[in-house]
C-alpha cells in the first residue's frame, strides 16, 4: 500500500501560496512532502509502516512520528493516511516489545548499526540509547490518530501491552541509581556518545522525575533528569488517561498507575526544575540531577523547552514559558547562534556555531506574532543552499556548509511551519501549564 491519493498536497500547496505569495515556499513544501512519501515510508505485508529517518537506514521512534505530523492535517478525509498512521503505531509497538530502552531499529534483524556498544544489543536494534521521548512519541501518536484521523482501531491489546511496557520502564527509571539495569558505553567516541560511571551516567538523587540517558539529539545528558522530556511525559500520560477512561473502563488499576505517575512527575517539576534567573525571572532548567545542579540551555531537537507549546505542554502566553523563551533566544543560552543569514538555536550534536532548521521551525510554530513566524520562514528559505530541501544544521554565515543532505524530520518540520503560515492548525486541547 502506498498513498496514491495526494490531492491534499496540491490543494495545501495552493492555499499556502495564496496566503504567503511565496512561490519558493510553496514549491519546497510540495517537494518535501512528496520526498517523505516516496523515499522514507515502507509498508510491510502485515500492514505495519517502517519509516527511515533519511540518510541513515534505520527508524527512530521519535523521528518517525515527527516525520508524519504534517499528514495529520489531512488524515480524517484520507483513508490511506489513516492506514499509514495506524501501521506506524503497530511497528512502534513491535519495536518497544523488542526493547523499550532502544531509540532506533533496523528494518530486519540484520545486525546493522552500533552492535559494538557495551549494552544489551540485539540484531533488530540500530542503537540502544535510552531517551524518555522515544517512549513518549508512540503514546502521542496513538492519541493523535484518535483525535485527528478519527480512528480507534489502534486501541487494542497491543496498545495496552505497550502502555504496560512503558510504565514498567518509567517506574524503574524513577529510581535509576538503585533499580535500573540499563547501562550504555560506546568506545573510541566523543563524550556525548557515551555514559560515564561504567555506563550508568552521572550520579542522581531520587526526585520523582524520570531519568534519561540521552537527549532527543542522541547526545548524553549531563545531568540525568531532562526537563523537556519529563514535561513531555506529563503531556502523554494525560493523553493516556483520557484514552483509558474512554476505551478501557475496566483498566481501573492501570489508569490509577498512569495518574499517580503523572502527578509524581508534575510535583517534581515544581520542586526541582524551576530556576530563578537574575535577568529573566522564573524559568525552566534544561537538566537537573536532584543534587543541586542545574543546566541552563536548550537543544534544537524536540522535545525542547522552546517547543513546549508545540507539544501542548505550556501555553505560549504563560509567564514561565515566556520568560524561559526570552532566555533561550538570547546569548545566555550557550547554543543560541547568530550569523549573516539566520539566528536561532543549535546543538552540541553538530559543529559549534551551526543553527538547526528544526529549531527555526519550532520558533516559528510557537511564536505568538505573525512577523516572527514569517522571519523564521525567511531564514529557512535563505539557507537551503540551493537544494530546495532542509538540512540538519548549517553555518549561518555560510549556509552552503551544512550537515545531512537528507534528513526527513527537518523537511517535515519545515512543512508544518508552512502549513501554519497557510492557516492550518492542530487543536492539541488545553495545555498542561497555563
Amino acid at each position: 500500500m502506498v498513498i496514491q491519493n495526494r490531492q491534499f498536497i496540491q490543494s495545501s500547496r495552493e492555499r499556502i501560496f495564496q496566503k504567503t505569495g511565496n512561490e519558493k515556499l510553496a514549491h519546497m513544501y510540495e517537494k518535501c512532502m512528496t520526498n517523505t512519501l516516496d523515499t522514507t515510508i515502507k509498508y510491510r505485508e502485515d500492514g505495519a509502516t517502517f519509516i527511515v529517518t533519511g540518510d541513515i537506514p534505520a527508524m527512530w521512534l521519535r523521528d518517525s512520528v515527527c516525520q508524519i505530523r504534517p499528514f495529520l492535517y489531512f488524515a480524517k478525509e484520507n483513508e490511506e493516511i489513516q492506514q499509514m498512521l495506524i501501521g506506524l503505531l503497530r511497528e512502534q509497538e513491535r519495536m518497544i516489545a523488542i526493547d523499550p530502552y532502544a531509540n532506533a531499529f533496523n528494518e530486519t534483524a540484520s545486525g546493522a548499526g552500533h552492535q559494538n556498544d557495551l549494552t544489551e544489543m540485539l540484531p533488530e536494534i540500530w542503537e540502544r540509547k535510552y531517551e524518555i521521548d522515544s517512549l513518549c512519541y508512540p503514546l502521542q501518536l496513538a492519541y493523535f490518530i484518535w483525535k485527528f484521523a478519527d480512528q480507534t482501531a489502534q486501541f487494542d491489546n497491543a496498545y495496552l501491552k505497550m502502555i504496560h511496557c512503558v510504565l514498567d520502564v518509567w517506574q524503574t527509571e524513577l529510581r535509576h541509581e538503585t533499580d535500573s539495569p540499563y547501562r550504555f558505553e560506546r568506545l573510541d567516541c566523543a563524550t556525548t556518545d557515551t555514559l560515564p560511571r561504567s555506563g550508568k551516567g552521572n550520579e542522581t538523587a531520587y526526585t520523582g522525575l524520570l531519568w534519561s540517558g540521552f537527549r532527543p539529539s542522541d547526545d548524553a545528558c549531563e545531568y540525568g533528569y531532562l526537563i523537556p522530556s519529563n514535561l513531555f511525559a506529563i503531556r502523554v500520560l494525560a493523553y493516556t488517561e483520557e484514552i483509558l477512561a474512554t476505551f478501557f473502563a475496566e483498566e481501573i488499576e492501570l489508569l490509577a498507575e498512569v495518574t499517580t505517575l503523572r502527578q509524581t512527575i508534575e510535583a517534581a517539576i515544581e520542586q526541582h526544575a524551576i530556576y530563578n534567573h537574575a535577568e529573566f525571572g522564573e524559568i525552566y532548567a534544561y537538566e537537573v540531577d536532584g543534587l543541586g545542579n542545574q543546566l541552563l540551555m536548550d537543544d534544537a531537537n524536540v522535545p525542547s523547552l522552546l517547543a513546549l507549546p508545540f507539544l501542548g505542554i505550556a501555553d505560549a502566553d504563560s509567564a514561565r514559558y515566556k520568560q524561559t523563551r526570552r532566555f533561550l533566544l538570547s546569548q545566555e543560552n550557550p547554543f543560541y547562534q547568530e550569523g549573516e543569514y539566520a539566528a536561532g538555536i543549535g546543538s552540541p550534536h553538530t559543529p559549534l556555531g551551526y543553527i538547526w532548521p528544526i529549531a527555526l521551525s519550532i520558533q516559528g510554530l510557537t511564536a505568538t506574532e505573525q512577523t516572527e513566524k514569517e522571519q523564521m520562514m525567511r531564514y529557512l528559505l535563505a539557507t537551503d543552499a540551493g537544494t530546495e530541501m532542509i538540512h540538519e544544521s548549517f553555518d549561518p554565515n555560510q549556509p552552503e556548509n551544512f550537515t545531512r543532505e537528507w534528513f526527513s524530520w527537518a523537511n517535515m518540520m519545515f512543512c508544518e511551519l508552512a502549513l501554519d503560515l497557510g492557516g492550518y492548525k492542530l487543536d492539541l486541547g488545553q495545555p498542561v501549564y497555563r
Side-chain angles (χ1 to χ4, degrees):
M1 191 276 289
V2 295
I3 297 177
Q4 301 286 355
N5 179 8
R6 301 186 180 187
Q7 179 57 37
F8 66 92
I9 297 180
Q10 188 60 37
S11 61
S12 55
R13 179 201 192 282
E14 292 172 359
R15 178 171 166 179
I16 290 167
F17 177 70
Q18 290 172 0
K19 289 280 189 177
T20 65
N22 191 314
E23 176 59 34
K24 181 177 180 179
L25 165 56
H27 172 71
M28 284 180 58
Y29 164 80
E30 181 179 12
K31 183 173 181 178
C32 288
M33 290 283 280
T34 302
N35 178 267
T36 289
L37 286 179
D38 290 343
T39 68
T40 68
I41 300 175
K42 301 182 178 183
Y43 299 95
R44 297 191 187 275
E45 291 184 1
D46 63 359
T49 308
F50 186 91
I51 302 181
V52 298
T53 188
D55 53 13
I56 302 173
M59 175 171 147
W60 266 252
L61 292 170
R62 168 188 56 252
D63 294 31
S64 56
V65 176
C66 296
Q67 287 169 255
I68 57 82
R69 271 189 62 117
F71 299 109
L72 291 168
Y73 293 83
F74 315 104
K76 193 167 289 188
E77 292 78 31
N78 191 309
E79 185 177 344
E80 293 175 325
I81 294 177
Q82 294 167 16
Q83 293 173 5
M84 181 266 288
L85 296 172
I86 293 175
L88 174 58
L89 183 62
R90 296 293 182 228
E91 184 76 6
Q92 293 180 326
E93 289 168 345
R94 182 187 69 83
M95 290 173 171
I96 290 171
I98 291 171
D99 187 353
Y101 280 99
N103 58 322
F105 293 80
N106 296 312
E107 187 175 358
T108 65
S110 62
H114 298 277
Q115 295 297 320
N116 293 326
D117 289 344
L118 303 182
T119 189
E120 297 179 15
M121 288 295 289
L122 294 170
E124 295 92 342
I125 296 172
W126 173 273
E127 188 172 59
R128 193 173 186 259
K129 290 180 173 179
Y130 171 61
E131 303 160 1
I132 295 170
D133 69 281
S134 293
L135 299 178
C136 289
Y137 275 106
L139 304 189
Q140 182 199 59
L141 176 61
Y143 184 82
F144 282 179
I145 293 171
W146 173 28
K147 293 297 183 177
F148 303 128
D150 199 22
Q151 296 296 304
T152 58
Q154 69 274 22
F155 299 133
D156 57 9
N157 287 333
Y159 170 79
L160 284 178
K161 182 179 178 181
M162 177 178 69
I163 299 303
H164 281 287
C165 190
V166 171
L167 289 177
D168 286 347
V169 171
W170 283 355
Q171 295 288 7
T172 297
E173 295 306 329
L174 281 173
R175 295 172 174 82
H176 175 74
E177 284 293 319
T178 57
D179 294 2
S180 178
Y182 178 77
R183 301 291 185 273
F184 183 96
E185 290 181 276
R186 181 170 293 171
L187 304 177
D188 300 322
C189 65
T191 57
T192 53
D193 264 336
T194 190
L195 296 180
R197 284 204 305 157
S198 300
K200 194 173 183 177
N202 288 320
E203 185 177 359
T204 54
Y206 174 80
T207 59
L209 295 166
L210 303 175
W211 181 88
S212 191
F214 293 85
R215 303 168 180 169
S217 60
D218 302 330
D219 289 341
C221 293
E222 182 173 345
Y223 304 127
Y225 299 125
L226 180 59
I227 300 309
S229 290
N230 272 270
L231 288 165
F232 194 17
I234 291 171
R235 173 76 279 186
V236 299
L237 286 169
Y239 287 157
T240 305
E241 288 177 84
E242 186 178 346
I243 291 168
L244 292 174
T246 304
F247 299 101
F248 301 96
E250 71 283 2
E251 296 288 343
I252 298 172
E253 292 183 3
L254 180 60
L255 175 58
E257 182 180 357
V258 171
T259 300
T260 299
L261 179 58
R262 175 182 56 78
Q263 292 172 343
T264 297
I265 303 169
E266 283 183 341
I269 288 286
E270 295 304 313
Q271 184 176 354
H272 298 281
I274 312 305
Y275 181 84
N276 287 307
H277 195 282
E279 179 179 353
F280 298 98
E282 189 177 89
I283 65 173
Y284 290 107
Y286 185 70
E287 289 174 0
V288 301
D289 61 5
L291 298 168
N293 295 303
Q294 294 177 313
L295 182 61
L296 303 182
M297 57 165 280
D298 205 18
D299 200 358
N301 299 268
V302 181
S304 62
L305 294 175
L306 188 66
L308 297 183
F310 171 76
L311 296 170
I313 297 166
D315 191 315
D317 288 321
S318 67
R320 188 184 293 166
Y321 174 74
K322 287 198 295 185
Q323 289 158 191
T324 303
R325 183 186 182 90
R326 285 179 51 234
F327 165 80
L328 301 177
L329 300 177
S330 76
Q331 295 295 337
E332 292 296 308
N333 174 8
F335 296 101
Y336 180 78
Q337 315 293 343
E338 294 182 347
E340 181 180 353
Y341 293 94
I345 295 174
S347 171
H349 193 71
T350 47
L352 184 65
Y354 277 37
I355 292 171
W356 279 55
I358 286 176
L360 296 177
S361 295
I362 287 294
Q363 185 177 340
L365 286 162
T366 56
T368 57
E369 298 293 333
Q370 186 70 14
T371 53
E372 186 176 0
K373 293 177 182 290
E374 293 169 352
Q375 181 61 68
M376 294 305 105
M377 180 55 75
R378 284 194 291 271
Y379 286 157
L380 290 166
L381 295 176
T383 56
D384 70 317
T387 66
E388 298 181 333
M389 301 283 275
I390 306 299
H391 307 120
E392 178 189 47
S393 68
F394 63 88
D395 182 338
N397 294 306
Q398 295 180 300
E400 64 274 16
N401 296 329
F402 58 80
T403 61
R404 296 191 68 178
E405 186 170 0
W406 179 25
F407 186 32
S408 179
W409 181 9
N411 286 331
M412 299 311 277
M413 286 303 313
F414 163 83
C415 288
E416 195 150 4
L417 180 57
L419 287 164
D420 184 278
L421 290 170
Y424 292 88
K425 307 291 180 185
L426 290 178
D427 183 5
L428 302 181
Q430 289 293 326
V432 176
Y433 293 98
R434 296 184 290 277

